[in-house]
Amino acid sequence: MTTLKSKLQDDLTAAIKGRDELRAATLRMTLTAITKEEVAGKEARVLSDDEVQKVITREAKKRREAAEAFAQGGRTESAERERAEGEVLADYLPKQLGDEELAALAEEAVAEAKAGGAEGPRAMGAVMKIVNPKVAGRAEGGRVAAAVKRALAGG
């Protein structure tokens, strides 16, 4: 079993013993999503830590989107619950990049792509291929794409 998955299970046990309903429910949902991912496809497999990380990231994104939808619908209690669940999941994700760090990585990738002969707005794909592995889970795709567009426009 992966170390991240076993940490989630240990934390779930601790949350249940500590009667932390929010944390227990959130971890239970996340572990269910991980198990679902493990049995998807032709045969069951054990996920690596990176794959578990991706599942947690996907679950956290669902919480953010649900919180926004609830807030727009005027259901503040539900929105708060989703935000709280998102914060629980954030403990298991790598620290997110700040705007300055993301912009610096995008500028670097644009310079690298220019050295490879790709320039202007059409270079977006080439730049994204360079920057994505460097960012890897520390920023959402939309934020990365926006930073790359700004870097391409400015350069």
Side-chain angles (χ1 to χ4, degrees):
M1 187 187 315
T2 61
T3 55
L4 186 54
K5 184 178 175 185
S6 58
K7 179 179 176 11
L8 286 168
Q9 288 175 329
D10 292 345
D11 290 353
L12 172 60
T13 304
I16 291 170
K17 285 179 181 174
R19 299 197 185 282
D20 185 346
E21 188 274 330
L22 172 74
R23 188 171 207 81
T26 304
L27 294 176
R28 205 175 272 128
M29 268 191 287
T30 305
L31 284 165
T32 300
I34 291 167
T35 304
K36 213 180 222 179
E37 189 76 21
E38 287 177 333
V39 298
K42 293 193 187 302
E43 62 183 63
R45 63 196 175 92
V46 175
L47 298 182
S48 69
D49 271 354
D50 286 343
E51 291 170 313
V52 170
Q53 192 92 49
K54 285 179 184 166
V55 172
I56 296 171
T57 303
R58 193 171 50 229
E59 290 297 308
K61 184 178 180 187
K62 285 180 190 175
R63 300 298 172 282
R64 271 193 306 281
E65 290 171 352
E68 285 175 26
F70 282 137
Q72 287 174 354
R75 296 181 55 194
T76 53
E77 261 182 45
S78 297
E80 288 303 314
R81 169 77 183 204
E82 293 291 335
R83 282 192 198 97
E85 287 178 2
E87 287 170 20
V88 169
L89 292 175
D91 295 344
Y92 300 95
L93 295 172
K95 185 179 170 292
Q96 295 292 298
L97 291 172
D99 291 336
E100 299 81 33
E101 294 170 295
L102 189 56
L105 282 172
E107 293 287 342
E108 228 173 80
V110 167
E112 210 173 304
K114 279 185 180 173
E119 282 190 59
R122 289 195 207 110
M124 182 82 177
V127 175
M128 288 299 282
K129 281 182 189 161
I130 295 168
V131 83
N132 273 336
K134 295 177 183 176
V135 171
R138 297 184 300 155
E140 280 185 22
R143 280 185 62 213
V144 175
V148 168
K149 280 181 186 169
R150 279 194 299 274
L152 285 170

